[in-house]
């Protein structure tokens, strides 16, 4: 599985080498550059060229790392418990209130995928550090259901940064 560029995306030799090294080493590729230089497009084109599904997580200033894994909707569960009836029967299974994040979706995909974590530098300074363990081990724990989510296939991970702020060394 090698990326050579596409008919609509001409990659330099160095960029092609970096992408293929990330694929071979199964490590995330951090791509830094000014806005509008094609960082996001690279992940899209790699997914297209390798015929893989693309999962995109566009980061905002308010994004927390946990949202990429999953979110527990306690408010809906409380509301359903108060309403009773058909909603009341859902309350006993907490998994009905777990919303899968982009990383969970990519980890549980039946085929290899491309995962884009776009504009990581927009989030707070702890955001990248909070994801390091999950991206390294390709697994995480869902505390509410006591479930371990492990990647069926290690995704090809692209992380983009607009250099708006300094990222942690790790």
């Amino acid at each position: 599985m090698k990326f050579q560029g596409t008919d609509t995306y001409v990659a330099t030799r160095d960029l092609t080498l970096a992408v293929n090294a990330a694929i071979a080493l199964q490590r995330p590729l951090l791509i830094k550059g000014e806005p509008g230089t094609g960082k996001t497009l690279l992940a899209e084109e790699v997914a297209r060229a390798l015929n893989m599904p693309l999962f995109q997580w566009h980061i905002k200033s308010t994004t927390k790392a946990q949202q990429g894994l999953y979110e527990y909707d306690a408010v809906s569960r409380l509301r359903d418990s108060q309403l009773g009836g058909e909603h009341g029967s859902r309350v006993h299974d907490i998994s009905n209130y777990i919303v899968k994040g982009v990383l969970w979706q990519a980890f549980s995909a039946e085929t290899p995928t491309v995962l884009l974590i776009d504009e990581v530098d927009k989030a707070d300074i702890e955001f990248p550090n909070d994801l390091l363990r999950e991206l390294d081990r390709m697994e995480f724990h869902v505390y509410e259901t006591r479930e371990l989510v492990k990647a069926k296939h290690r995704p090809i991970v692209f992380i983009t940064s607009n250099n708006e702020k300094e990222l942690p060394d790790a």
Side-chain angles (χ1 to χ4, degrees), residues 9-134:
Y9 191 94
V10 179
T12 65
R13 184 176 178 276
D14 288 344
L15 183 57
T16 303
L17 182 66
V19 168
N20 288 321
I23 293 170
L25 297 172
Q26 297 185 332
R27 292 288 175 234
L29 180 61
L30 174 62
I31 305 167
K32 292 181 171 184
E34 298 301 314
T37 56
K39 299 178 301 294
T40 301
L41 186 60
L42 173 63
E44 294 169 354
E45 290 297 317
V46 168
R48 187 169 73 88
L50 301 178
N51 198 26
M52 293 179 163
L54 173 66
F55 290 90
Q56 299 185 48
W57 187 17
H58 300 283
I59 307 303
K60 299 176 185 169
S61 60
T62 57
T63 303
K64 300 293 178 206
Q66 181 67 32
Q67 292 171 306
L69 306 176
Y70 70 95
E71 291 184 87
Y72 169 54
D73 189 355
V75 174
S76 290
R77 187 173 189 210
L78 175 61
R79 185 193 68 234
D80 287 351
S81 71
Q82 292 170 338
L83 290 174
E86 70 180 56
H87 299 287
S89 62
R90 287 178 39 117
V91 173
H92 300 295
D93 184 359
I94 199 167
S95 66
N96 290 322
Y97 302 95
I98 301 290
V99 179
K100 295 177 180 178
V102 176
L103 269 71
W104 188 333
Q105 294 172 45
F107 285 9
S108 61
E110 294 299 325
T111 60
T113 63
V114 174
L115 171 62
L116 170 64
I117 302 173
D118 201 23
E119 298 185 1
V120 71
D121 53 328
K122 283 191 174 180
D124 70 49
I125 194 69
E126 291 303 316
F127 181 89
N129 288 333
D130 291 346
L131 284 179
L132 284 178
R133 183 176 186 279
E134 286 77 11

